[in-house]
């Protein structure tokens, strides 16, 4: 596949090293996140977080909600324990930033601390777990979009107004607003490299990416446009913004920001464009439905799109890095596809009831070794080993319908 690469440099921006990412880190192996012993009995261990327990492996949990009954639970994937939380009825979406869950309702956005998260120091990772906590509500309703980094949480409402919240405050159980950004934005505002990546509407209807400082002031502007923007994703290569003709990749390197076009290699009808992305957090491989019977796979490293023909799609995702494309189809089964060839490689038994295939769409959550599929009508969550021909590794039986689901701790 031949892809045009058009890179637009932006003005250089001096970046200040984040204390969270550098303080107290002397290095370590990526596959050995265990902290070294403290130098004395009174010294805090490397990576210490007050009130949390550090572990050598990922501490994944699933946030679950039934909008009809309002039942909300947190399923601990390490212990299998289930924690009940505050009832939240009428939720239309459930999002997460890796630790906090955001249940979007007509009356506002309810925030739940799942009590599990990771801190990525680049050459090694720390995994933490703590108690589940209910934080209350944000004054941003069902259309709100929430994006976070270690310092701030950006909440953009349906009018394009963005409010920044103190991420450290959320971690301590407080919802504290820092400021409202000036102007309005199209789509989500994404915290990235101590700045904010936003799309600002232009007079001709085209949205243009801009880099803002944490006060909301522009510090860099490209000569690039994004028509009909829909969808965004954070990868190790930068921020991906979905556009009518493909995607834009916003990157920072050596204090300068660039924007790069990743176009489709052919004209794509509006109803077949990628408008929402799914991925394993940290992965540079994104998926998105391509109409009713296919899936787009965007390899951000290679700057290339691949269209995989499948059966009728309910949900799709992949772990990337040579893993199969996972597609939940209207037959109720999870299917695995080889991304390079498009060939189907595996298929599960039907996981969903007929009713669930026509209602609110289940999702596929993917981490480094497993995938999870929620089956609301059966009151189950299935754990899939996608590296072993989609073997069903575990089945979690629940006392609620897990209509909405999101994984944290990744």
């Amino acid at each position: 596949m031949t892809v045009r690469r058009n890179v637009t440099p932006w003005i250089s921006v001096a970046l200040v090293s984040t204390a969270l990412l550098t303080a107290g880190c002397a290095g370590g192996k990526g596959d050995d996140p265990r902290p070294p012993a403290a130098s004395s009995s009174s010294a805090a261990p490397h990576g210490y977080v007050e009130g949390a327990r550090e572990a050598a492996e990922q501490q994944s949990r699933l946030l679950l909600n039934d909008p009809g009954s309002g039942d909300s639970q947190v399923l601990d994937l390490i212990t299998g324990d289930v924690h009940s939380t505050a009832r939240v009825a009428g939720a239309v979406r459930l999002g997460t930033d890796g630790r906090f869950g955001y249940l979007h309702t007509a009356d506002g956005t309810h925030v739940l601390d799942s009590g599990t998260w990771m801190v990525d120091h680049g050459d090694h990772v720390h995994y933490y777990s703590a108690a589940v906590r209910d934080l209350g509500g944000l004054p941003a309703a069902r259309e709100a979009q929430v994006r976070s980094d270690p310092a701030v949480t950006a909440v953009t409402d349906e009018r394009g107004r963005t409010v920044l919240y103190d991420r450290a405050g959320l971690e301590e159980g407080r919802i504290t607003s820092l400021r409202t950004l000036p102007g309005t934005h199209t789509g989500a505002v994404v915290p990235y490299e101590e700045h904010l990546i936003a799309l600002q509407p232009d007079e001709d209807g085209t949205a243009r990416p801009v880099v803002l400082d944490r006060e909301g002031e522009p510090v860099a502007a490209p000569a690039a446009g994004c028509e009909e923007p829909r969808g965004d994703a954070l990868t190790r290569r930068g921020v991906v913004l979905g556009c009518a003709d493909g995607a834009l990749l916003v990157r920072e390197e050596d204090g300068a920001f660039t924007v790069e076009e990743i176009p489709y290699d052919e004209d794509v009808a509006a109803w077949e464009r990628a408008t929402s992305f799914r991925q394993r957090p940290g992965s540079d491989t994104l998926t998105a439905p391509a109409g009713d019977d296919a899936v787009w796979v965007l390899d951000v490293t290679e700057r290339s799109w691949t269209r995989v023909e499948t059966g009728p799609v309910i949900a799709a995702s992949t772990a990337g890095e040579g893993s199969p494309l996972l597609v939940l189809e209207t037959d109720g089964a999870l299917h695995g596809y080889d991304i390079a060839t498009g060939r189907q490689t595996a298929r599960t038994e039907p996981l969903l009831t007929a009713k669930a295939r026509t209602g609110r769409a289940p999702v596929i959550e993917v981490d480094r070794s497993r995938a999870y599929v929620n089956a609301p009508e059966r009151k189950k969550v299935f754990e899939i080993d996608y590296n072993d021909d989609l073997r069903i590794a575990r089945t979690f039986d629940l006392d609620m319908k897990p209509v909405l689901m999101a994984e944290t701790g990744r």
Side-chain angles (χ1 to χ4, degrees), residues 50-360:
E50 185 176 1
R53 179 180 64 86
E54 185 168 3
E57 63 179 351
Q58 183 172 291
Q59 302 293 292
S60 295
R61 292 174 181 173
L62 293 178
L63 306 182
L64 307 169
N65 174 263
D66 178 3
S69 67
D71 289 340
S72 298
Q73 295 181 351
V74 179
L75 170 61
D76 190 316
L77 294 172
I78 302 299
T79 65
D81 295 336
V82 176
H83 307 270
S84 294
T85 67
R87 296 170 62 86
V88 181
V92 296
R93 285 186 298 121
L94 170 58
T96 183
D97 56 16
R99 173 173 177 173
F100 298 95
Y102 302 94
L103 284 158
H104 301 279
T105 74
D107 298 324
T109 297
H110 197 89
V111 185
L112 176 67
D113 183 353
S114 72
T116 183
W117 67 95
M118 61 172 282
V119 178
D120 188 349
H121 292 271
D123 60 350
H124 65 289
V125 178
H126 297 281
Y127 299 104
Y128 297 102
S129 63
V132 176
R133 290 190 296 184
D134 181 73
L135 272 63
L138 295 170
R142 67 177 69 195
E143 299 302 324
Q145 301 190 69
V146 182
R147 305 291 184 267
S148 299
D149 73 0
V152 299
T153 295
V155 181
T156 306
D157 65 19
E158 66 277 7
R159 301 187 303 274
R161 187 186 66 139
T162 301
V163 179
L164 297 186
Y165 291 86
D166 181 17
R167 176 61 183 242
L170 290 180
E171 294 170 359
E172 294 171 0
R174 306 188 317 272
I175 296 178
T176 305
S177 62
L178 298 173
R179 67 189 59 89
T180 299
L181 301 184
T184 60
H185 308 97
T186 302
V189 172
V190 184
Y192 172 66
E193 294 295 339
E194 300 183 38
H195 289 75
L196 303 166
I197 307 302
L199 285 167
Q200 293 185 334
D202 209 344
E203 293 180 355
D204 62 2
T206 299
R208 301 191 180 279
V210 62
V211 178
L212 309 173
D213 64 21
R214 292 300 167 94
E215 300 296 323
E217 297 299 323
V219 296
C226 181
E227 295 185 4
E228 302 176 29
R230 292 280 302 277
D232 61 90
L234 178 63
T235 74
R236 291 186 180 273
R237 304 285 175 175
V239 178
V240 173
L241 305 171
C243 308
D245 59 354
L248 297 179
L249 174 64
V250 180
R251 301 183 64 193
E252 181 279 329
E253 188 173 3
D254 297 329
F257 287 88
T258 62
V259 59
E260 183 171 354
E261 297 177 359
I262 310 178
Y264 300 118
D265 62 349
E266 59 186 18
D267 290 335
V268 176
W271 64 279
E272 294 183 322
R273 296 171 187 163
T275 59
S276 62
F277 297 105
R278 299 284 296 184
Q279 71 193 116
R280 175 180 61 79
S283 171
D284 295 327
T285 306
L286 310 179
T287 67
D292 295 331
D293 303 306
V295 174
W296 287 113
V297 178
L298 172 57
D299 186 327
V300 181
T301 302
E302 297 297 326
R303 315 291 200 270
S304 64
W305 294 91
T306 300
R307 180 187 170 102
V308 180
E309 301 294 336
T310 65
V313 178
I314 294 177
S317 193
T318 182
E321 302 172 359
S323 298
L325 170 64
L326 304 177
V327 184
L328 189 62
E329 301 184 11
T330 55
D331 62 0
L334 185 67
H335 299 248
Y337 292 87
D338 182 279
I339 294 174
T341 66
R343 181 177 65 87
Q344 180 173 299
T345 58
R347 176 184 180 276
T348 69
E349 64 187 51
L351 306 179
L352 308 179
T353 66
K355 183 177 181 180
R357 300 172 208 171
T358 58
R360 195 189 303 258

Side-chain angles (χ1 to χ4, degrees), residues 61-66 69 71-77 79-84 94 372-383 394-406:
R61 292 174 181 173
L62 293 178
L63 306 182
L64 307 169
N65 174 263
D66 178 3
S69 67
D71 289 340
S72 298
Q73 295 181 351
V74 179
L75 170 61
D76 190 316
L77 294 172
T79 65
D81 295 336
V82 176
H83 307 270
S84 294
L94 170 58
Y372 298 91
V373 176
N374 53 323
E377 295 301 321
R378 298 179 67 180
K379 296 185 177 181
K380 297 179 185 292
V381 170
F382 295 97
E383 180 183 78
R394 289 189 292 177
T395 300
F396 297 97
D397 295 303
L398 307 167
D399 60 2
M400 62 167 290
K401 293 182 178 181
V403 177
L404 301 177
M405 181 178 77

